[in-house]
Amino acid sequence: MGEGLVCEVAGGVGTVTIDRPAKRNAMSADMWRALPGILDGLAADPYVRVVVLTGAGGNFCAGADISELADIHRADDSHLSTVAEQALAAFPKPTLAAIEGYCVGGGCQLAAACDLRFAAEGARFGVTPARLGIVYPAAATARLVGLVGAAAAKYLLYSADLVDAAHALRVGLLDEVVPAGGLAERVAAFAATLASRSLLTQQATKDIVDAIVAAGPVEEKARRWHAEVAASGEVEEGVAAFLERRAPAFTWTSPRS
């Protein structure tokens, strides 16, 4: 595990904490390099059904460590933040960003790569390449546009200004804003709900929705997932649990090879 990244698993939830509070959790080059491997481990763990990405010490992430920018920011496919972001976006299970304090630059890039984003009141968001004279990675720009639309993306990228949680919620960068002091409890409850649902449904949904957003082929993906459902026993368990008025015990963990 790389410097400043802490991974814990409990109750079917994997929590990755960016833990470098002295630098507002700015990501070093080693941390960017380490994140994909951590995600690979969580993806392979059948006990993990959802992943939460958060920050220590009252901030989510202040972006890339500027002192290591030459190593992190590259003009090719080895761009460290892009590699980490794409690994997070491609993670097969549900992902949730839990955001307090600063969520800026590369931090905002990581949050956008999660499936859902919850933030505490008082959180601040910014996409800041215009402060440094660099070009935001194309994949991250496309993801931002997909979340907030072209005009709001230009507003954030042109100005590099920080916006509050209410603004972020209004433009679609956030899914939920939680009163101060209540973020951990709300995220834990929501993550527990996700962990209790059918991972097959969630993973199929993620695969199909991402294909729709990318304007890719959907029909073949849908056929493959329907075949997976037929072989999984998930529907039988879900129906039996409903009729018996009990919580379902979904056991599916990954597609057949």
Side-chain angles (χ1 to χ4, degrees), residues 2 108 159 178-179:
C108 208
S159 69
V178 179

Side-chain angles (χ1 to χ4, degrees), residues 38-125:
I38 292 170
L39 294 172
D40 285 345
L42 292 169
D45 186 342
Y47 183 68
V48 174
R49 303 182 74 85
V50 57
V51 165
V52 174
L53 180 65
T54 192
N59 288 298
F60 181 72
C61 175
D65 188 331
I66 299 300
S67 68
E68 300 184 40
L69 193 62
D71 191 12
I72 295 166
H73 183 80
R74 302 169 181 174
D76 58 26
D77 290 341
S78 67
H79 193 308
L80 295 183
S81 66
T82 297
V83 171
E85 171 211 348
Q86 291 179 332
L88 183 56
F91 189 79
K93 304 170 188 181
T95 54
L96 172 61
I99 303 163
E100 290 183 298
Y102 285 98
C103 178
V104 179
C108 208
Q109 188 177 352
L110 288 173
C114 291
D115 294 319
L116 300 168
R117 286 149 296 281
F118 286 30
E121 291 176 344
R124 304 281 285 174
F125 301 82

Side-chain angles (χ1 to χ4, degrees), residues 4-256:
L5 295 176
V6 178
C7 182
E8 301 171 305
V9 176
V13 179
T15 301
V16 179
T17 303
I18 306 168
D19 188 8
R20 206 181 180 203
K23 292 202 171 186
R24 290 179 177 171
N25 298 328
M27 293 276 287
S28 68
D30 283 345
M31 291 164 69
W32 287 112
R33 289 190 187 96
L35 184 57
I38 292 170
L39 294 172
D40 285 345
L42 292 169
D45 186 342
Y47 183 68
V48 174
R49 303 182 74 85
V50 57
V51 165
V52 174
L53 180 65
T54 192
N59 288 298
F60 181 72
C61 175
D65 188 331
I66 299 300
S67 68
E68 300 184 40
L69 193 62
D71 191 12
I72 295 166
H73 183 80
R74 302 169 181 174
D76 58 26
D77 290 341
S78 67
H79 193 308
L80 295 183
S81 66
T82 297
V83 171
E85 171 211 348
Q86 291 179 332
L88 183 56
F91 189 79
K93 304 170 188 181
T95 54
L96 172 61
I99 303 163
E100 290 183 298
Y102 285 98
C103 178
V104 179
C108 208
Q109 188 177 352
L110 288 173
C114 291
D115 294 319
L116 300 168
R117 286 149 296 281
F118 286 30
E121 291 176 344
R124 304 281 285 174
F125 301 82
V127 188
T128 54
R131 293 187 181 184
L132 300 171
I134 62 177
V135 176
Y136 205 48
T141 302
R143 206 174 317 282
L144 183 64
V145 171
L147 282 176
V148 305
K154 289 176 179 176
Y155 178 100
L156 293 167
L157 285 162
Y158 286 178
S159 69
D161 283 347
L162 300 188
V163 301
D164 61 18
H167 182 121
L169 181 67
R170 185 173 67 250
V171 300
L173 188 58
L174 287 176
D175 297 287
E176 192 170 317
V177 176
V178 179
L183 182 66
E185 181 179 0
R186 172 59 181 142
V187 168
F190 190 77
T193 295
L194 295 188
S196 74
R197 307 303 194 208
S198 170
L199 182 59
L200 191 158
T201 298
Q202 295 166 343
Q203 196 160 326
T205 298
K206 185 167 186 171
D207 193 27
I208 292 170
V209 168
D210 288 351
I212 292 169
V213 171
V218 175
E219 292 78 8
E220 178 56 35
K221 287 183 180 292
R223 282 193 293 270
R224 181 171 64 84
W225 282 112
H226 286 305
E228 190 71 31
V229 167
S232 69
E234 291 282 275
V235 174
E236 291 81 358
E237 169 58 18
V239 171
F242 179 81
L243 294 175
E244 296 165 13
R245 297 185 179 182
R246 61 173 173 82
F250 293 117
T251 58
W252 184 94
T253 58
S254 63
R256 294 166 298 160

